[in-house]
Amino acid sequence: MWPAFSLNRPLLWIGLAALSASVWLPGVALRLAAASLVALGLMDAWRQVRLEHQRARLGQDALALSEDGVIITDADNRIQAVNPAFTRITGYTAEEVRGRNATTLSAPRHDKAFFERYWQTLRTTGRWEGEIWNRRKHGDEYPEWLRVRAVSDDRGRTTHHVCLFTDISMHKARERDLRRIGFEDPLTGLPNRRRLHDLLDSRLRHLRAGESLDMAMIDIDGFKSINDGLGVEMGDRLLARFGQRLAGHVAGGVVGRLGGDEFLVIRTTTFDDHDHWIAGLQAHLGEPFEIEGHSLRFGLTIGSCRAPEDGRESGVLFQRLESALYAAKRHGRNHSQRFRPSLDMQDSPQLGLVNELRHALATGTQLELHYQGQHHLADGALVGLEALLRWRHPRDGMISPADFIPLAERHGLMASLGNWVIDQALAQLARWRRLGMPEVPVWVNVSALQMFQGELETALAAGLARHGIPPGLLGLEITESVLLDERAGDIAPRLGVLRERGHPIAIDDFGTGYSSLGYLKKLPLDKLKLDRAFIKALPDDRADAAIVGAVLAMARGLELQVIAEGVETIAQRDFLQAAGCSLVQGFLYARPLPAELLEAQWQEHDSAGGPPGGARVAAEATA
């Protein structure tokens, strides 16, 4: 950075020569000239000394500002100087370590071979860099990243070592946290789904002759009612206690939490006692849990299987465990079901369809969104569009969502499918905004699995940012079944955050899920979508008419809009209008259309100067 101190100073040498010659020079004038040269030489030397002092002070200030610790040792590794960062990191002052051998600061974690390699590398290359553990003044050990460089004289002999080190204990702690987050359930401390796959793979690889793996997937029955009754915090404590009891019962086995109230147990055994083992699990976990004066017993639904009889790959075994669990749930709660080949036989006609659905998701060429208008009943004005997922299969044609949505939920594709719908709807909104189409909200359906798996907020935020769409143009329709699904937990806070971001929120299929009205009033909602089951028999069915009237009255009290689905006849429209329903959706106004046809219809009506499709149909029906 600066030139080194040098005696190659002409003025200095001229001044010295003039000083030595001044005693021999005759005459006052010559002696005065010599004295002037001496003064110039002294001034030049003084300026050089001042610059060297300034450079040394600046170097010390730079070392003092450094966040990295610095140690300077002599050739024998005795500490000569340290910077303030060294004191902050280790707790030692400069006076306490000056003259000490630097190796006395190291923690006893490295063997003799480590230091032999260290010194050999330093002598050979003149530098060393790597991770090393040292010890602070108070005795605690910490990792540091150390860089060492040897300083040599003109003859090549090492005179000093300069050591620069960084405390990486925080970095190491973050690494541990990331590993724990990636492989550990934060609530119970048990392995999570990802880690369980790895552990099952490991157990399968090390399975010896005569050994088997017993596996059980356990679902706690009705856990949502516990959360609703005792609170989410108490529910979390119960889940942690449940995990502890389960882990204590399966000594030497693997216990993990798959998510929500689902747990997985794996044990290695040489006994053929699978059914007895499952019965023991049910009995042990069925004992009451005592917590804050409450005595609670859990009902358990268990799906189980055994390796290698039921499979030799972790993916296959997980799928068969889920098949057994779903079969147990179909037989009612508090029931266990061991996997049997007939369960796979039930799925075999659909396994091909699942693979084709995966392919359709990967390519995005067969899936498409159709849009059905939502209209103001008084004048037929378009107020929104519902995005409806369709699968146009290249061989089988249009496949009903009633056929492929349950498959997607069962085989873990629902989150990907839901994220695809969100991204496509936002991309279509962006296109319509560029074309100057009517700007109305597009509503997408959100499944329980999207809420449960926790990726909904991320998908929404990323999609809105990517396509530049304001949140108010993307509405979220939550079915009542989501409110009843224990895996989704308490969704009211999450819906509140989404609504604060600007997304309108609606409850879809209202009236079919048996949800608590007390719970409903706590939800941050904008709309209720009255299920078509209550509309199709209007106005003749007195029970449906009474239900519709009651829902409309309740919605007015809660200051919610109501949109009636499945309006297909003028009589239905007239009844709803008289009852005070302001928004409708159904074939009377518009059928679901692909985006291209909807654009063409809009452009046709725009060029004709007439109202958009729904308004025109409503006007014709009124006439």
Side-chain angles (χ1 to χ4, degrees):
M1 184 165 58
W2 290 300
F5 178 81
S6 172
L7 292 177
N8 185 20
R9 312 293 299 176
L11 284 175
L12 176 63
W13 291 111
I14 290 173
L16 289 173
L19 179 64
S20 60
S22 62
V23 296
W24 306 105
L25 290 173
V28 175
L30 290 175
R31 290 182 179 181
L32 287 174
S36 299
L37 292 175
V38 170
L40 287 175
L42 290 173
M43 290 175 60
D44 183 63
W46 175 245
R47 186 171 63 251
Q48 179 78 353
V49 170
R50 286 177 57 197
L51 285 174
E52 287 301 319
H53 278 293
Q54 184 182 31
R55 292 165 185 168
R57 188 172 63 253
L58 289 172
Q60 291 174 350
D61 290 343
L63 285 177
L65 288 173
S66 173
E67 293 296 323
D68 293 336
V70 176
I71 305 174
I72 299 175
T73 70
D74 60 15
D76 296 324
N77 207 33
R78 290 188 298 270
I79 297 175
Q80 303 294 302
V82 296
N83 71 336
F86 170 88
T87 301
R88 288 196 301 271
I89 295 172
T90 67
Y92 289 104
T93 64
E95 291 74 18
E96 289 174 318
V97 296
R98 188 174 290 117
R100 287 178 57 176
N101 195 300
T103 56
T104 62
L105 302 178
S106 63
R109 293 198 178 200
H110 305 289
D111 56 13
K112 183 179 178 181
F114 172 86
F115 286 105
E116 287 177 352
R117 290 193 301 270
Y118 168 87
W119 285 111
Q120 182 181 3
T121 303
L122 192 57
R123 293 190 189 99
T124 305
T125 65
R127 62 183 63 228
W128 184 89
E129 182 173 355
E131 182 181 319
I132 191 170
W133 283 80
N134 273 359
R135 187 158 47 191
R136 304 186 209 271
K137 181 178 180 179
H138 297 295
D140 56 313
E141 300 174 357
Y142 69 99
E144 65 180 33
W145 190 259
L146 177 65
R147 284 166 286 179
V148 183
R149 182 174 180 179
V151 179
S152 304
D153 58 15
D154 295 337
R155 298 180 181 179
R157 293 178 300 184
T158 299
T159 60
H160 295 85
H161 297 112
V162 177
C163 312
L164 185 70
F165 67 92
T166 304
D167 183 357
I168 59 173
S169 54
M170 293 296 293
H171 177 71
K172 287 284 189 180
R174 282 194 295 270
E175 284 185 349
R176 289 194 298 272
D177 289 341
L178 289 174
R179 283 196 297 270
R180 187 174 66 252
I181 291 170
F183 294 103
E184 183 180 292
D185 174 59
L187 177 62
T188 62
L190 297 173
N192 62 10
R193 180 182 289 269
R194 178 182 174 187
R195 180 61 175 156
L196 285 169
H197 273 281
D198 294 340
L199 291 171
L200 180 54
D201 278 331
S202 176
R203 293 243 169 175
L204 288 169
R205 285 196 305 270
H206 295 94
L207 205 60
R208 292 178 293 187
E211 290 184 337
S212 299
L213 289 184
D214 283 328
M215 287 159 284
M217 189 176 287
I218 303 170
D219 181 270
I220 302 175
D221 297 337
F223 193 77
K224 185 176 184 299
S225 61
I226 296 175
N227 273 340
D228 292 342
L230 300 179
V232 176
E233 182 179 353
M234 186 76 76
D236 287 347
R237 290 172 60 187
L238 280 169
L239 285 175
R241 291 271 297 277
F242 184 88
Q244 291 170 2
R245 181 181 290 187
L246 188 56
H249 181 67
V250 189
V254 174
V255 174
R257 184 181 178 216
L258 297 170
D261 55 5
E262 286 189 357
F263 292 80
L264 181 71
V265 184
I266 306 170
R267 72 154 185 173
T268 304
T269 181
T270 56
F271 299 102
D272 188 12
D273 60 346
H274 182 86
D275 294 338
H276 179 73
W277 178 65
I278 294 295
L281 279 177
Q282 283 184 307
H284 184 72
L285 298 174
E287 292 295 321
F289 287 82
E290 305 291 339
I291 184 165
E292 292 191 2
H294 299 280
S295 181
L296 300 172
R297 291 181 182 269
F298 290 147
L300 305 174
T301 302
I302 301 178
S304 65
C305 68
R306 188 176 174 90
E309 292 93 320
D310 297 327
R312 295 177 178 270
E313 298 179 3
S314 63
V316 172
L317 289 168
F318 263 89
Q319 181 179 332
R320 291 179 173 175
L321 279 169
E322 289 174 350
S323 296
L325 182 63
Y326 292 135
K329 288 182 177 181
R330 285 196 295 269
H331 285 87
R333 296 291 182 172
N334 202 25
H335 184 77
S336 65
Q337 173 72 61
R338 180 175 175 177
F339 172 80
R340 59 181 187 273
S342 61
L343 296 178
D344 259 357
M345 293 298 292
Q346 294 170 8
D347 285 341
S348 58
Q350 299 175 328
L351 288 179
L353 198 61
V354 171
N355 290 328
E356 290 169 353
L357 181 57
R358 293 183 194 274
H359 176 73
L361 260 175
T363 60
T365 55
Q366 301 172 25
L367 299 173
E368 55 189 58
L369 292 182
H370 289 197
Y371 299 88
Q372 186 175 29
Q374 299 172 345
H375 300 269
H376 199 278
L377 195 148
D379 57 6
L382 184 70
V383 295
L385 292 164
E386 181 180 4
L388 301 167
L389 181 61
R390 298 290 185 263
W391 182 10
R392 195 181 298 275
H393 195 277
R395 182 188 66 246
D396 301 330
M398 197 66 77
I399 298 178
S400 169
D403 293 330
F404 69 84
I405 292 296
L407 283 178
E409 290 179 341
R410 183 168 181 177
H411 293 275
L413 300 177
M414 202 59 223
S416 300
L417 207 57
N419 292 345
W420 184 90
V421 169
I422 288 171
D423 189 68
Q424 287 297 113
L426 290 170
Q428 193 61 58
L429 271 169
R431 169 179 167 79
W432 286 340
R433 295 185 87 194
R434 291 194 301 270
L435 295 176
M437 299 295 184
E439 195 166 279
V440 295
V442 170
W443 294 79
V444 296
N445 292 282
V446 176
S447 74
L449 286 176
Q450 280 177 279
M451 297 296 294
F452 163 60
Q453 293 173 353
E455 300 294 334
L456 176 64
E457 291 85 350
T458 303
L460 288 170
L464 292 170
R466 184 163 53 251
H467 299 291
I469 299 297
L473 288 181
L474 188 71
L476 307 177
E477 294 187 1
I478 314 292
T479 62
E480 280 195 90
S481 61
V482 175
L483 307 180
L484 298 175
D485 197 314
E486 300 98 9
R487 296 171 298 175
D490 185 7
I491 67 169
R494 295 176 64 187
L495 293 181
V497 171
L498 291 171
R499 193 164 182 255
E500 287 173 4
R501 293 180 184 176
H503 293 286
I505 308 290
I507 292 294
D508 195 14
D509 300 334
F510 182 75
T512 62
Y514 311 106
S515 64
S516 163
L517 296 181
Y519 184 64
L520 184 64
K521 74 177 183 180
K522 301 176 185 177
L523 293 174
L525 300 176
D526 297 286
K527 289 183 181 180
L528 299 178
K529 296 194 71 179
L530 191 56
D531 189 75
R532 67 183 68 248
F534 303 112
I535 306 300
K536 63 182 179 181
L538 292 179
D540 301 322
D541 191 297
R542 293 177 60 186
D544 285 345
I547 290 172
V548 170
V551 171
L552 291 170
M554 179 196 68
R556 283 193 292 271
L558 295 174
E559 298 182 349
L560 298 175
Q561 290 184 315
V562 174
I563 180 167
E565 294 183 289
V567 179
E568 300 180 0
T569 68
I570 295 175
Q572 292 169 349
R573 181 202 65 184
D574 292 343
F575 175 87
L576 291 167
Q577 190 168 21
C581 182
S582 59
L583 302 177
V584 290
Q585 176 180 342
F587 289 174
L588 179 64
Y589 288 81
R591 290 180 176 271
L593 293 175
E596 307 81 46
L597 293 181
L598 194 59
E599 289 176 15
Q601 189 182 84
W602 277 341
Q603 291 168 350
E604 176 188 346
H605 295 143
D606 186 55
S607 60
R616 178 175 57 81
V617 171
E620 291 173 355
T622 304

